[in-house]
Amino acid sequence: PANGYPLEVLATSGNANVRVSATGSGQGARLFLRSHNTDSTYIAFNDSDDDTLLATIRSYGTAHSSTAKRQGLALETAGSERVFIKSDGYVGINEGNPGFPLHISFDGQDAFAGDTHLNDESVIYLQGTSADNEAVMIRWANHGSMNNYFGVHQVGASGPGDFVWTAFDGSS
């Protein structure tokens, strides 16, 4: 095997392609990767010049040493886990053991100073098109047709917006 790999597709010019096809009606093409249940299975993306690991998609076995990782899926870049999806569907961004449906961990870079920009302290960034009378909102529903909104209403195309906190019950 070349470089320890029993199967290698090598192209010295052009793209190296692999195709798995199912051409029958109702038939699907599948690629199965299998590892021991105490380990992880992954797809690695490497730079061919120096074999630098660029990114990884990793799935953890049912008996992996880290209970929190079992049956989870991780997306890694630059050698660090960036997104993790637990087996219960909870998603962590920079959080390896999310405790909420969406759990974002963040280490702020600057001390809070209300008199300057807070770009380095921002966890979520919402951007509108700067159109007059535009609104950029976060929306959630508590029950039935009741919707709640928090965001910014843009008054004028270049001026600062106004904070809005409102509820709408679906009728008027």
Side-chain angles (χ1 to χ4, degrees):
N3 299 321
Y5 298 101
L7 172 65
E8 180 175 13
V9 176
L10 177 64
T12 57
S13 64
N15 296 323
N17 298 310
V18 175
R19 178 187 297 194
V20 178
S21 298
T23 58
S25 177
Q27 302 298 308
R30 293 165 178 86
L31 176 64
F32 292 93
L33 303 176
R34 181 177 288 174
S35 293
H36 191 273
N37 67 354
T38 60
D39 206 339
S40 63
T41 302
Y42 62 92
I43 299 172
F45 302 88
N46 293 54
D47 187 321
S48 68
D49 293 338
D50 58 7
D51 211 29
T52 298
L53 180 62
L54 304 174
T56 305
I57 301 171
R58 183 181 306 270
S59 175
Y60 293 89
T62 57
H64 191 271
S65 60
S66 172
T67 305
K69 300 285 186 194
R70 291 179 183 169
Q71 293 182 295
L73 180 72
L75 304 177
E76 303 168 359
T77 61
S80 295
E81 186 177 282
R82 307 300 179 176
V83 177
F84 184 71
I85 305 170
K86 282 178 65 174
S87 62
D88 61 7
Y90 283 16
V91 176
I93 298 175
N94 292 325
E95 176 57 51
N97 188 15
F100 304 93
L102 177 59
H103 188 152
I104 301 172
S105 288
F106 170 72
D107 183 13
Q109 298 174 11
D110 296 328
F112 177 77
D115 60 344
T116 185
H117 76 78
L118 298 172
N119 293 345
D120 293 336
E121 300 303 311
S122 300
V123 177
I124 297 175
Y125 179 69
L126 305 174
Q127 181 174 354
T129 60
S130 298
D132 188 21
N133 209 26
E134 174 184 55
V136 177
M137 302 283 186
I138 297 173
R139 174 185 171 204
W140 65 97
N142 356 2
H143 59 82
S145 60
M146 179 59 75
N147 292 288
N148 298 280
Y149 303 88
F150 176 73
V152 175
H153 174 236
Q154 182 73 32
V155 180
S158 62
D162 295 323
F163 279 106
V164 177
W165 179 282
T166 188
F168 177 69
D169 68 4
S171 60
S172 63

